[in-house]
Amino acid sequence: QVQLQESGPGLVKPSQTLSLTCSVSGDSISSGSHYWTWIRQPAGMGLEWIGRIYVSGSTNSSPSLRSRVTISLSTSKNQFSLELRSVTAADTALYYCARMTMSGGVPDYFDYWGLGILVTVSS
Amino acid sequence: QSGLTQPASVSGSPGQSITIPCTGTSSDVGTYNFVSWYQQHPGKAPKVIIYEVSQRPSGVSNRFSGSKSGNTASLTISGLQAEDEADYICCSYGSASTLVFGGGTKLTVL
């Protein structure tokens, strides 16, 4: 059974860096069979794709967030992480990590999700 | 890249069928067959119900079906049941290897 679990601070001050980690069990990030992704959802609003990483370290992220986002992974810990710099109140959201399938190397769909972690940006 | 466009809400009576459109552009929905749909109940993580426009994952009811025409993908739910009341969100692969979501549609079963 694949499980993902987000962890990190629930409160971040404006202008600081939001840092989250996703711990994966039931699958190995090193397998190379999936992409590992971050998605967020502000309260009462829709989903927003943040970015993804592959076991090679290759990343891609939303153009609107790219200048502030870093996604990395640790194969030894079977974890991947998100850093979002210079946060504002607009970054307050429920942050999900998710596993994404691929078809011919193209990202296909999200098949397993974490429960999400609420991050509030406030002084 | 802008988000995909979905109606904010739809409704239907038990047993009826409803269709939720998801409109994108030639840079995403119109070009790629990597459109997926997710069902999200309140307080829960999304669950995939359709992938690659019209494919159903194992275990998903055949009351859910997907299609695409031009820049618009659609989700149809037939034989509406009370348990179908949820938010439905579309997602598409797009240019520059990015992903884009729709704003979500709240389904009310009357």
Side-chain angles (χ1 to χ4, degrees):
Chain A
Q1 175 73 353
V2 178
Q3 292 185 320
L4 295 89
Q5 183 169 0
E6 306 87 353
S7 60
L11 181 64
V12 181
K13 288 182 166 47
S15 81
Q16 294 192 341
T17 296
L18 179 162
S19 297
L20 298 176
T21 296
C22 182
S23 299
V24 179
S25 59
D27 188 16
S28 171
I29 287 179
S30 302
S31 70
S33 301
H34 298 89
Y35 289 106
W36 303 94
T37 70
W38 289 99
I39 297 152
R40 70 181 183 180
Q41 186 172 34
M45 297 177 65
L47 298 170
E48 180 180 18
W49 176 67
I50 299 172
R52 67 173 182 270
I53 189 166
Y54 185 62
V55 62
S56 64
S58 171
T59 62
N60 200 340
S61 54
S62 168
S64 65
L65 297 171
R66 189 165 294 156
S67 63
R68 298 194 291 131
V69 165
T70 298
I71 298 175
S72 58
L73 59 81
S74 169
T75 54
S76 62
K77 294 182 180 179
N78 215 36
Q79 295 174 338
F80 61 105
S81 299
L82 169 70
E83 285 192 348
L84 181 63
R85 297 176 290 279
S86 304
V87 298
T88 70
D91 295 310
T92 294
L94 187 63
Y95 284 76
Y96 291 104
C97 60
R99 190 181 83 168
M100 189 163 206
T101 67
M102 59 173 71
S103 178
V106 176
D108 199 341
Y109 64 95
F110 305 99
D111 60 350
Y112 287 95
W113 297 66
L115 295 178
I117 183 170
L118 179 61
V119 179
T120 301
V121 178
S122 175
S123 54
Chain B
Q1 188 175 20
S2 301
L4 307 177
T5 300
Q6 298 181 234
S9 63
V10 298
S11 63
S13 299
Q16 288 186 332
S17 294
I18 62 95
T19 297
I20 300 173
C22 167
T23 301
T25 69
S26 58
S27 295
D28 39 63
V29 176
T31 295
Y32 303 100
N33 287 325
F34 291 101
V35 177
S36 50
W37 288 90
Y38 301 85
Q39 178 192 61
Q40 186 178 31
H41 286 107
K44 300 292 187 181
K47 169 192 169 186
V48 62
I49 53 173
I50 295 289
Y51 68 97
E52 293 177 18
V53 175
S54 61
Q55 303 302 303
R56 266 190 317 275
S58 174
V60 172
S61 171
N62 60 8
R63 296 186 299 105
F64 295 93
S65 62
S67 63
K68 190 182 85 166
S69 178
N71 294 339
T72 298
S74 297
L75 172 71
T76 297
I77 309 174
S78 59
L80 271 180
Q81 300 179 0
E83 68 206 47
D84 299 331
E85 188 160 293
D87 291 332
Y88 292 85
I89 307 146
C90 59
C91 179
S92 176
Y93 177 77
S95 59
S97 197
T98 58
L99 295 163
V100 61
F101 284 103
T105 298
K106 180 177 179 59
L107 169 62
T108 300
V109 180
L110 302 171

